[in-house]
């Protein structure tokens, strides 16, 4: 079978079908400024609260979202999981996450949900359960954009 030739160049006739990488210099895109957020902080984390406040966010420490005022909304809900002794600590954390998610879904607009795990928690059954709950929430309620942050990573 004879090869197709592309005119005077002698390149195969299909060469014009291929993409050619062309690099161009581009101006650097500025990172958009993050507007201040209203943050509900569930759990004891004074350093996190101070850091969020320092960047301009409004932080309210609450035991649950049920404590918010009737017209109060949040952009972000942060659940800080602490190391707790006992066999039922994982179950208590899972219940807290589920109740928080239910309250967040009922809120309008829906806030994002972040779970902060202590170092090494991902290797424990308790941490694995929390990560599992967050993954399921991401599937069932994508509007919450839930994330789990392992501080040991």
């Amino acid at each position: 079978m004879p090869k197709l030739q592309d005119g005077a160049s002698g390149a195969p006739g299909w060469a014009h079908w291929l993409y050619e990488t062309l690099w161009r210099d581009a101006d650097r895109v500025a990172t958009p400024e993050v507007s201040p957020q209203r943050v509900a902080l569930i759990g004891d984390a004074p350093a996190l609260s101070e850091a969020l406040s320092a960047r301009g966010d409004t932080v309210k420490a609450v035991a649950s979202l049920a404590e918010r005022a009737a017209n109060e909304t949040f952009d972000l809900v942060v659940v800080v999981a602490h190391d707790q002794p006992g066999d039922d600590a994982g179950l208590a954390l899972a219940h807290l996450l589920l109740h928080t998610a239910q309250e967040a879904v009922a809120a309008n607009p829906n806030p994002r949900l972040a779970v902060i795990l202590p170092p090494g928690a991902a290797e424990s059954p308790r941490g694995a359960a929390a990560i599992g709950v967050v993954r399921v929430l991401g599937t069932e309620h994508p509007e919450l954009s839930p994330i789990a942050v392992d501080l040991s990573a």
Side-chain angles (χ1 to χ4, degrees):
M1 179 175 223
K3 292 185 181 179
L4 296 173
Q5 298 294 318
D6 187 18
S9 69
W14 49 265
H16 66 279
W17 294 353
L18 301 177
Y19 290 103
E20 180 180 336
T21 303
L22 177 65
W23 295 96
R24 291 185 235 160
D25 289 334
D27 294 330
R28 190 172 193 179
V29 178
T31 304
E33 290 293 321
V34 177
S35 59
Q37 297 184 4
R38 296 173 309 263
V39 179
L41 184 61
I42 300 174
D44 184 35
L48 177 60
S49 179
E50 289 174 16
L52 291 171
S53 296
R55 75 173 201 177
D57 295 336
T58 303
V59 180
K60 181 176 181 181
V62 294
S64 75
L65 287 181
E67 290 184 5
R68 71 181 190 282
N71 60 352
E72 187 175 24
T73 61
F74 296 105
D75 302 310
L76 175 65
V77 177
V78 179
V79 178
V80 180
H82 295 287
D83 285 324
Q84 296 176 350
D87 294 336
D88 58 346
L91 184 60
L93 177 58
H95 280 193
L96 175 63
L97 293 177
L98 290 174
H99 289 297
T100 301
Q102 289 170 346
E103 292 165 352
V105 167
N108 192 10
N110 300 119
R112 289 196 63 206
L113 178 63
V115 179
I116 310 294
L117 299 170
E123 291 87 27
S124 71
R126 178 176 166 255
I131 291 171
V133 168
V134 170
R135 291 181 75 183
V136 169
L137 287 174
T139 302
E140 293 184 3
H141 295 287
E143 68 274 14
L144 297 178
S145 302
I147 60 169
V149 179
D150 181 5
L151 294 180
S152 62

